[in-house]
Amino acid sequence: MLISQFAEHTGVPATTLRFYESAGLAPAGRTDSGYRVYGDRDVDRVAFIQTAKHVGLPLGEIRELLAVWEHDPCAEVRAQLRPKMAARLDEAATRTAELAAFTDTLRHALAQLDDLPDRAEPCDAGCGFLAPQPRTQVVDPPFAAPGAAITVPVDPPIACSLDAADHGERVHRWQQVLVDVVREPGPADVRLRLPIDRVGALAELAAAEQHCCPFYEFDLHLRGTEVILDVGAPAAAAEMVRALFGDGTSAPPAR
């Protein structure tokens, strides 16, 4: 099958197939004319990649597993894959607990909001619970009584937890969603205007980006037939913001 036929058969876009090839995941054969060509085994390979991505495995681990999948017995694939799946399950359980705690925080904030007096005056310090609060962690102080602890603010680090291959795929996905994006002035570091049919893809990407790069802040606003994406980040992350979303004079750069 040529790449267009293979994309239709597998449901994987041709752009993604080209990225898989460049990342060393799904090499394609070539015709005498230089066109990419795929066979039945490639269908199984791409299905393996898509399934592994669906359960949260990074591309680096998928590449290692593919080497086992290609040459070793199925039992060895299972032996390699099971501990990775168990680790993802533990991560999912942790994130579920964090989400439950965040849900409780929202319920508490909503209850406080409902208890505010109905008055005509502007908000004052009594409305302060609506403002974002600095994240904290408990640490043992260097000079304190035994067992004592202090609470200090903790800002998210200006770093991304993705490896090079996964970061390349993430940039590729942003490029696909941000085609023909319109940049406009706004309160955030970056404000982008797109058709509203991309809101689902934007929300998914923003959530994924914040999970690996927690210093980002994303806000989505619906405006008729369009969606507005506001992106905020600390000043120290300006270069990373420009690399992902452009510098205001052009579309987000290609990688």
Side-chain angles (χ1 to χ4, degrees):
M1 290 175 281
L2 296 177
I3 190 169
S4 58
Q5 299 167 317
F6 189 68
E8 182 176 359
H9 181 74
T10 60
V12 179
T15 53
T16 301
L17 293 172
R18 294 188 186 98
F19 174 79
Y20 285 167
E21 183 178 19
S22 66
L25 297 171
R30 297 282 176 168
T31 66
D32 293 339
S33 302
Y35 291 103
R36 291 177 177 85
V37 63
Y38 298 87
D40 292 338
R41 185 60 169 167
D42 296 312
V43 174
D44 295 337
R45 173 181 285 270
V46 170
F48 184 91
I49 295 170
Q50 292 294 98
T51 302
K53 280 172 52 61
H54 184 70
V55 296
L57 296 182
L59 293 185
E61 292 186 6
I62 295 174
R63 188 183 299 108
E64 295 173 0
L65 285 168
L66 279 169
V68 180
W69 175 86
E70 187 76 45
H71 303 291
D72 294 343
C74 185
E76 182 62 23
V77 177
R78 181 182 61 188
Q80 294 282 337
L81 187 55
R82 196 183 190 290
K84 299 180 187 299
M85 294 282 290
R88 294 303 178 277
L89 181 59
D90 290 342
E91 291 174 7
T94 299
R95 293 174 65 182
T96 300
E98 292 172 350
L99 184 58
F102 181 59
T103 301
D104 289 340
T105 299
L106 290 177
R107 288 198 181 100
H108 180 66
L110 184 60
Q112 285 186 285
L113 184 63
D114 290 340
D115 289 340
L116 286 178
D118 187 8
R119 61 185 185 184
E121 294 83 0
C123 262
D124 53 23
C127 303
F129 75 94
L130 294 174
Q133 299 296 315
R135 281 181 279 186
T136 62
Q137 70 178 19
V138 177
V139 300
D140 292 328
F143 305 104
I150 58 174
T151 300
V152 296
V154 176
D155 293 323
I158 310 301
C160 181
S161 61
L162 294 177
D163 62 25
D166 287 301
H167 183 260
E169 185 193 19
R170 179 68 55 75
V171 171
H172 175 70
R173 291 176 62 194
W174 275 111
Q175 289 172 350
Q176 288 183 306
V177 173
L178 298 181
V179 172
D180 299 327
V181 67
V182 176
R183 184 184 294 259
E184 59 183 39
D189 298 308
V190 176
R191 170 165 281 196
L192 305 173
R193 177 161 52 89
L194 303 94
I196 198 168
D197 60 2
R198 301 185 201 173
V199 64
L202 279 176
E204 179 183 358
L205 272 175
E209 197 70 44
Q210 198 166 51
H211 180 65
C212 65
C213 304
F215 57 85
Y216 277 120
E217 294 182 358
F218 295 97
D219 288 300
L220 291 172
H221 312 273
L222 303 184
R223 183 194 294 170
T225 60
E226 296 176 321
V227 56
I228 306 300
L229 173 66
D230 282 338
V231 184
E239 186 61 32
M240 297 178 70
V241 173
R242 281 194 295 270
L244 199 57
F245 301 103
D247 59 6
T249 61
S250 62
R255 289 289 185 88

